[in-house]
């Protein structure tokens, strides 16, 4: 069903208060598509539509909404309705929503929750953002090593409706220490009389609650896991990160890196929902800062104004040379930022990567120098051509090395390497290129 048609159908159901039409729409369209159409509603309209659904359907649909839309809708719900919704939501999703509510709304909501839910929300909401603790859910299944397979399967049948996944279950001891893991497939195929401790795998890949979510997604991808168990400081199992939550986190990280690579601070909402003021506020700092960085290029030009006045033909090649250095630097930075993010390159690889980049940048510079030498002959003669060719080699090498080194340096001082891409590299390389170009010109033409 197309978005416009879906929106019109939902709107009619809201206006008419037609529960049958609302539920029929859920049966026809996927909840993710309905959630996308609901973004066109006001928060009050969205609440009216969701009130036509059963509580489980309401919670399922709510989980597909964008985080900011969830928070906006939650603010206009009554305390009792919101508490009922919380009881049906997945543990990690309700903790995320709880953190987006105001302190006043949080205090109003907690008394309406059951004690176990209240404690679970408080615990999961207490972990810092972008850590394994903030990403994990407490809805996981556990078994004991001394149980028989028959008992384990019976337990899983009872727990399945309330757990996020039962395809991988975790074997714990009396103190909740993780001692092994067993898959549902292994349980189904095993002899019913066999003990879990004889069936489980004891070598378990896990994460700690304070691990960065980027490290968590790397582990899930590297080991091809359905879920990753999360341990506290005493090696007790406190949650799991499922692959779908890890994928959402990976998309979020990639989006944030893309924004940082353009020198834009992390946006608090999707691009089609963010306000003009928010876009201005997130972009203005770096743009103003880079304006002052560009003054270095201007200072370089001013320093060599005598050379420029004497050889006006040099001005023709300045955009070409400076742009080439910026392009080479942006390429190197983009490759290095991504390699650092995926773990393909580590700090120990510094010397190897630097040596290879010098050779590649030199080859690129020579190739581009050959291309511009003829142009230099045509526009300014042999001497100008020599200046342009030598400057091209030097600018491309310098730009590539700056683009390569900046991500390493930022990573070393615990800053995000993504910041090194795009405008920051270009601004630094531009100033460097001006100095190199006119430095060569002054030296060679002065001879």
């Amino acid at each position: 069903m197309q978005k416009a048609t879906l929106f019109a159908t939902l709107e009619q159901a809201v206006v008419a208060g037609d529960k049958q039409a609302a539920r029929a729409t859920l049966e026809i369209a996927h909840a993710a598509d309905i959630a996308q159409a609901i973004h066109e509603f006001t928060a009050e309209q969205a609440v009216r539509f969701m009130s036509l659904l059963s509580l489980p359907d309401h919670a399922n649909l709510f989980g597909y909404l964008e985080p900011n839309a969830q928070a906006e809708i939650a603010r206009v719900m009554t305390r009792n309705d919101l508490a009922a919704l919380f009881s049906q939501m997945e543990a990690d999703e309700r903790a995320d929503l709880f953190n987006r509510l105001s302190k006043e709304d949080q205090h109003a909501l907690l008394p309406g929750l059951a004690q176990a839910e209240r404690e679970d929300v408080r615990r999961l909401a207490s972990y810092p953002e972008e850590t394994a603790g903030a990403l994990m859910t407490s809805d996981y299944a556990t078994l004991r090593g001394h149980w028989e397979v028959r008992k384990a399967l019976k337990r899983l049948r009872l727990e399945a409706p309330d757990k996020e996944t039962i395809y991988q279950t975790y074997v714990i001891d009396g103190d909740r220490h993780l001692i092994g893991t067993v898959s549902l497939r292994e349980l189904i195929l095993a002899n019913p009389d066999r003990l879990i401790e004889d069936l489980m795998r004891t070598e378990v890949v896990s994460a700690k609650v304070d691990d960065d979510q980027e490290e968590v997604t790397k582990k899930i991808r590297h080991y091809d896991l359905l879920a990753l168990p999360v341990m506290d400081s005493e090696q007790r199992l406190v949650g799991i990160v499922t692959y779908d939550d890890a994928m959402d986190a990976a998309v979020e990280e990639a989006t944030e890196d893309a924004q940082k690579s353009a020198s834009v601070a992390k946006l608090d909402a999707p691009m089609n929902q963010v306000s003009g003021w928010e876009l201005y506020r997130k972009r203005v700092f770096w743009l103003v800062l880079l304006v002052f960085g560009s003054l270095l290029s201007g200072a370089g030009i001013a320093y060599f104004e005598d050379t420029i006045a004497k050889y006006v033909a040099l001005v023709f090649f300045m955009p070409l040379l400076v742009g080439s250095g910026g392009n080479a630097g942006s390429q190197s930075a983009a490759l290095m930022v991504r390699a650092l993010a995926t773990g393909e390159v580590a700090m120990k690889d510094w010397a190897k990567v630097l040596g290879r980049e010098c050779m590649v940048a030199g080859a690129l510079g020579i190739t581009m120098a050959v291309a511009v030498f003829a142009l230099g002959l045509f526009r300014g003669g042999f001497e100008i051509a020599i200046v342009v060719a030598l400057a091209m080699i030097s600018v491309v090498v310098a730009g590539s090395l700056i683009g390569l080194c900046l991500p390493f340096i930022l990573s070393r001082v615990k800053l995000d390497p993504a910041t090194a891409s795009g405008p920051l590299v270009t601004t630094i390389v531009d100033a460097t290129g001006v100095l190199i170009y006119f430095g060569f010109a002054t030296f060679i033409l002065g001879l």
Side-chain angles (χ1 to χ4, degrees), residues 97-161:
L97 176 58
F98 184 79
N99 278 331
R100 294 188 190 98
L101 300 177
S102 66
K103 294 295 182 184
E104 183 180 349
D105 289 337
Q106 289 178 354
H107 291 313
L109 170 67
L110 287 174
L113 301 178
Q115 183 177 353
E117 292 171 350
R118 186 162 59 245
E119 291 176 355
D120 188 59
V121 166
R122 279 175 167 165
R123 182 174 62 86
L124 291 179
S126 67
Y127 294 109
E129 287 188 19
E130 299 187 356
T131 63
L135 194 60
M136 71 183 185
T137 178
S138 56
D139 292 336
Y140 57 91
T142 60
L143 302 173
R144 295 300 179 91
H146 61 273
W147 289 357
E148 294 179 343
V149 169
R150 180 185 294 104
K151 181 178 179 179
L153 287 172
K154 184 177 180 181
R155 174 71 174 266
L156 290 178
R157 289 190 191 99
L158 295 173
E159 290 190 354

Side-chain angles (χ1 to χ4, degrees), residues 27-273:
E27 292 176 359
I28 296 171
H30 194 282
D33 295 328
I34 295 176
Q36 191 175 34
I38 284 178
H39 282 299
E40 304 295 328
F41 286 0
T42 64
E44 290 76 11
Q45 287 176 316
V47 169
R48 286 178 60 192
F49 172 74
M50 290 182 177
S51 68
L52 303 175
L53 306 175
S54 65
L55 194 54
D57 286 341
H58 184 174
N60 179 51
L61 176 58
F62 199 81
Y64 284 101
L65 294 173
E66 293 288 344
N68 286 340
Q70 287 185 349
E72 189 177 347
I73 292 170
R75 291 187 191 102
V76 300
M77 295 176 68
T78 65
R79 189 183 74 176
N80 290 339
D81 286 345
L82 185 57
L85 175 64
F86 259 65
S87 68
Q88 293 291 318
M89 292 178 69
E90 295 178 356
D92 55 332
E93 291 182 353
R94 66 188 177 201
D96 290 340
L97 176 58
F98 184 79
N99 278 331
R100 294 188 190 98
L101 300 177
S102 66
K103 294 295 182 184
E104 183 180 349
D105 289 337
Q106 289 178 354
H107 291 313
L109 170 67
L110 287 174
L113 301 178
Q115 183 177 353
E117 292 171 350
R118 186 162 59 245
E119 291 176 355
D120 188 59
V121 166
R122 279 175 167 165
R123 182 174 62 86
L124 291 179
S126 67
Y127 294 109
E129 287 188 19
E130 299 187 356
T131 63
L135 194 60
M136 71 183 185
T137 178
S138 56
D139 292 336
Y140 57 91
T142 60
L143 302 173
R144 295 300 179 91
H146 61 273
W147 289 357
E148 294 179 343
V149 169
R150 180 185 294 104
K151 181 178 179 179
L153 287 172
K154 184 177 180 181
R155 174 71 174 266
L156 290 178
R157 289 190 191 99
L158 295 173
E159 290 190 354
D162 300 321
K163 303 304 179 185
E164 188 155 340
T165 179
I166 60 168
Y167 297 114
Q168 198 73 28
T169 52
Y170 303 94
V171 186
I172 57 174
D173 61 18
D175 295 321
R176 300 196 64 79
H177 294 133
L178 183 61
I179 59 175
T181 181
V182 60
S183 70
L184 182 60
R185 175 189 176 89
E186 291 168 327
L187 289 174
I188 292 173
L189 295 177
N191 188 311
D193 297 324
R194 194 172 180 186
L195 296 180
I196 297 299
E197 61 188 9
D198 297 331
L199 192 64
M200 68 183 186
R201 300 183 180 184
T202 55
E203 294 183 5
V204 183
V205 178
S206 63
K208 294 184 178 180
V209 289
D210 55 355
D211 284 351
D212 188 275
Q213 68 178 24
E214 196 170 349
E215 293 301 318
V216 172
T217 58
K218 285 180 183 178
K219 282 187 177 181
I220 290 177
R221 183 182 70 248
H222 181 72
Y223 293 102
D224 198 19
L225 301 174
L226 289 175
L228 181 72
V230 181
M231 323 291 283
D232 65 10
S233 57
E234 298 179 6
Q235 295 300 306
R236 293 175 301 193
L237 180 63
V238 291
I240 62 170
V241 177
T242 56
Y243 77 95
D244 55 330
D245 290 332
M247 185 170 65
D248 290 341
V251 170
E252 183 181 329
E253 288 279 354
T255 300
E256 186 178 344
D257 285 348
Q259 290 166 355
K260 285 182 178 179
S261 70
S263 295
V264 177
K266 180 183 177 182
L267 298 180
D268 298 326
M271 187 64 181
N272 62 342
Q273 299 174 30

Side-chain angles (χ1 to χ4, degrees), residues 360-373 392-393:
V360 172
L364 291 172
I366 292 170
T367 303
M368 296 171 73
V370 170
V372 298
F373 183 79
M392 177 63 80
I393 296 171

